[in-house]
Amino acid sequence: MSNMGFPETFKALSDPVRREILTLLKEGKMSAGDIAGHFDMAGATISYHLSQLKKADLVTETKYKNFVYYELNLSVFEELMCWISQFNEVQNENR
């Protein structure tokens, strides 16, 4: 991910529901229905949040039979962590 992707990434991460979805996906691939079962909101709302996470490239989507499965796109998280870690280095240098 170049810095061009950061606005979409941070926008997607700014929503608490989307952060909760990402936390659920830490355990592994989940169907859209399983994800929706963790929330007390309309399926269309969950679909919107999943589409925003997909647009930000934070999750990938695979279709199997009649189900859509989502999982974390770890490469984007790794790039994000590398970018964030530079500030940890600065903090350590300033001590």
Side-chain angles (χ1 to χ4, degrees):
M1 168 176 58
S2 68
N3 288 351
M4 298 298 286
F6 279 171
E8 291 83 14
T9 302
F10 288 122
K11 182 178 181 220
L13 291 172
S14 71
D15 186 280
V17 172
R18 292 194 281 267
R19 290 194 305 269
E20 181 64 26
I21 291 170
L22 294 171
T23 301
L24 288 171
L25 291 173
K26 279 192 332 187
E27 304 304 317
K29 189 184 296 191
M30 293 178 74
S31 71
D34 288 342
I35 293 167
H38 286 270
F39 298 92
D40 185 22
M41 54 184 70
T45 304
I46 295 299
S47 289
Y48 170 77
H49 287 299
L50 288 168
S51 74
Q52 293 301 300
L53 290 169
K54 211 171 84 168
K55 186 171 145 188
D57 215 18
L58 290 165
V59 299
T60 58
E61 172 187 273
T62 53
K63 292 181 172 80
Y64 179 72
K65 297 188 179 179
N66 294 336
F67 297 96
V68 179
Y69 291 91
Y70 293 88
E71 60 189 319
L72 296 177
N73 183 357
L74 294 178
S75 63
V76 171
F77 283 95
E78 287 166 5
E79 290 179 42
L80 190 58
M81 293 305 294
C82 285
W83 184 79
I84 290 171
S85 71
Q86 71 182 316
F87 298 101
N88 194 26
E89 293 165 12
V90 169
Q91 183 181 12
N92 291 336
E93 289 169 7
N94 290 337
R95 286 188 178 165

